[in-house]
Amino acid sequence: METKGKTKFLSVWHNVKYSWALKPKTSFSRNSPVLLLGKCYHFKAEEDEGQTEACREASDEEGVMGNVEDFRRDFGSRIWLTYREEFPPLPGSSLTSDCGWGCMLRAGQMMLAQALLLHFLGRDWTWSGAMSLQPLDTETWTTSAAKRLVASLESSLQASPGPSDPVVSQRQVAGSGEEAGVHTDGGFHRTLVSWFGDSPSAQFGLHSMVRLGLAMGKRAGEWYGPAVVAHILKKAVEEARDPCLAGISSYVSQDCTVYSADVIDSHKASAAAERPDVTSSSHNSQPASASPDSRAVIILVPVRLGGEKTNPDYFNLAKSFLSLDYCIGIIGGKPKQACYFVGFQDDSLIYMDPHYCQSFVDVSTSDFPLQSFHCPSPKKMPFTKMDPSCTFGFYSRSAQDFERIKHELTELLQPSAKEKYPAFIFVQGHGRDYDLSASLSPEKREWPFIRDPRRSGSTVGDFVLL
């Protein structure tokens, strides 16, 4: 009875903290370019001769200058994954919500979703429903949250199950009706979103992430750091069952080192692992240069960009990465408050915030509503507030593509006069050739960030300070 009462109380609190709040609108400057995962936008009414260098560099190969509407369409097409509630209990627990603790897992899911969008649909793809998204601070959302709060309180006082939420149900039904006419391009998009549903059967859903986390000593309800999530994502991609996903793999760097031969090996695949041709040239902005016996690789690089705070010398590096079209973003955030960084303007990061509690959506239905999986409102945060522990993500389509990526990133990673060390490095050969972990158990070789409780070394984030 005590556990049941605690669960009801937490549900009420989550409704208040993560749903029933008006968020101020994000302000953008008209005098500076906005970079969003390799795309450059400018919000000036007319094109200005004083185009900044950041936009010029981003538009060397093709014209990517856009206006506010283009930015809204692009941002609204990214997959948004937030706190949810009322889904089936998570593995190893009775929790039916990830409010308050699952934000880093959600950020990791968003990064993986962006990699899959690149892989199957290309960077130029946009969702036809992106411009019809409703702002989160409208009366519809807050009224819904308020009614849910009242229903939960009444249910708690009566010690009986609360009534279903008619407002949310009506909104979801209306959403699927509105979307029916705008999803001529959304067949595979809908399939991709369903892979991230909050059910045990979803390939990359929260239940799968938590199950994989259990093998690393992490349980539902605990804090997950960006390095832990990187390894969870790798395992999730490796274990994916859908034949469409046979043509993609994942690699996680070791101790801030990317071993080139290991990435090349990840690109290789047998003929039996070929991915069905679900990508058409009309959907793919980047012609597939991969040979039939190769796989794409999601490259994840956990790093620490300073001690207690992020070293300002790395701000420009993060900007450079987010200006690349093969960058799939950064998972990090503020201390103990994760988010998914997708761009920047001036000295502020642009991010997608998972700290918004939404109701469970059954993605097993053929026409489930897509609106709640796309974010209508970007947020900004000063670089100075960025936690130093984060994970960079990159998408490499083929071994040839990786050679280009390695060359470009190596140039960007060259230490400046102020920096003593690069954020990470590329090294020829395999990680095993360096025998850095010969004395470690297999688990610790694969997940060196897991702290041994028998040791007294201090830790910051996912990293041991030596």
Side-chain angles (χ1 to χ4, degrees), residues 303-317:
V303 297
R304 188 165 186 87
L305 305 178
E308 294 298 323
K309 295 182 179 181
T310 299
N311 187 333
D313 294 337
Y314 291 113
F315 293 166
N316 285 334
L317 180 68

Side-chain angles (χ1 to χ4, degrees), residues 7 9 16 37 44 69 90-91 109 122 128 141 147 151 220 224 237 244 289-290 317 340 355 360 371 376 449:
T7 302
F9 174 79
V16 174
L37 295 172
K44 286 190 176 181
E69 299 302 300
L90 293 166
Q109 285 181 312
S128 55
W141 290 81
K147 291 194 175 184
Y224 293 70
V237 172
C244 292
S289 58
L317 180 68
Y340 173 45
H355 300 91
F360 165 72
Q371 294 282 346
F449 49 82

Side-chain angles (χ1 to χ4, degrees), residues 75-96:
F75 182 85
S77 299
R78 303 312 106 204
I79 305 298
W80 184 43
L81 298 157
T82 72
Y83 288 156
R84 297 274 177 175
E85 62 179 358
E86 301 170 2
F87 50 65
L90 293 166
S93 77
S94 59
L95 293 174
T96 59

Side-chain angles (χ1 to χ4, degrees), residues 255-271:
D255 299 321
C256 300
T257 303
V258 177
Y259 293 96
S260 298
D262 289 336
V263 179
I264 297 299
D265 286 348
S266 297
H267 273 295
K268 296 177 181 178
S270 63

Side-chain angles (χ1 to χ4, degrees), residues 41-308:
Y41 299 96
H42 211 293
F43 295 164
K44 286 190 176 181
E46 297 180 0
E47 190 169 333
D48 184 40
E49 294 182 359
Q51 183 182 346
T52 62
E53 186 173 348
C55 259
R56 284 199 299 270
E57 291 177 353
S59 57
D60 283 344
E61 296 184 1
E62 56 180 317
V64 292
M65 288 290 290
N67 57 21
V68 177
E69 299 302 300
D70 294 330
F71 172 80
R72 283 184 56 205
R73 183 178 294 105
D74 191 2
F75 182 85
S77 299
R78 303 312 106 204
I79 305 298
W80 184 43
L81 298 157
T82 72
Y83 288 156
R84 297 274 177 175
E85 62 179 358
E86 301 170 2
F87 50 65
L90 293 166
S93 77
S94 59
L95 293 174
T96 59
S97 172
D98 62 321
C99 289
W101 60 269
C103 50
M104 189 66 77
L105 288 172
R106 297 299 188 180
Q109 285 181 312
M110 286 188 271
M111 175 183 277
L112 178 56
Q114 175 59 21
L116 296 177
L117 285 177
L118 271 181
H119 184 68
F120 291 112
L121 301 176
R123 181 61 187 91
D124 289 337
W125 175 86
T126 56
W127 177 45
S128 55
M131 299 303 289
S132 63
L133 292 171
Q134 296 298 315
L136 298 182
D137 55 355
T138 60
E139 183 179 0
T140 302
W141 290 81
T142 53
T143 301
S144 167
K147 291 194 175 184
R148 289 164 62 196
L149 172 61
V150 173
S152 297
L153 284 170
E154 290 177 347
S155 171
S156 179
L157 292 173
Q158 296 171 3
S160 61
S164 59
D165 176 26
V167 177
V168 174
S169 300
Q170 290 171 9
R171 177 171 58 84
Q172 291 180 347
V173 171
S176 44
E178 294 168 358
E179 291 162 1
V182 297
H183 285 113
T184 55
D185 64 343
F188 194 76
H189 162 229
R190 185 180 293 276
T191 298
L192 194 154
V193 171
S194 72
W195 289 338
F196 295 89
D198 294 312
S199 64
S201 61
Q203 314 259 2
F204 307 121
L206 187 68
H207 293 71
S208 294
M209 301 293 170
V210 169
R211 175 179 57 81
L212 293 170
L214 289 173
M216 304 182 191
K218 289 290 186 180
R219 296 180 298 176
E222 296 181 350
W223 168 255
Y224 293 70
V228 176
V229 171
H231 284 268
I232 289 176
L233 295 178
K234 178 178 182 293
K235 284 292 184 182
V237 172
E238 289 176 352
E239 296 185 5
R241 302 173 303 279
D242 196 305
C244 292
L245 295 165
I248 191 166
S249 61
S250 183
Y251 169 84
V252 180
S253 65
Q254 303 175 43
D255 299 321
C256 300
T257 303
V258 177
Y259 293 96
S260 298
D262 289 336
V263 179
I264 297 299
D265 286 348
S266 297
H267 273 295
K268 296 177 181 178
S270 63
E274 292 180 21
R275 172 177 58 83
D277 185 15
V278 298
T279 315
S280 66
S281 58
S282 63
H283 277 157
N284 196 345
S285 63
Q286 298 176 342
S289 58
S291 59
D293 62 345
S294 70
R295 297 181 297 180
V297 178
I298 301 169
I299 303 171
L300 303 174
V301 187
V303 297
R304 188 165 186 87
L305 305 178
E308 294 298 323

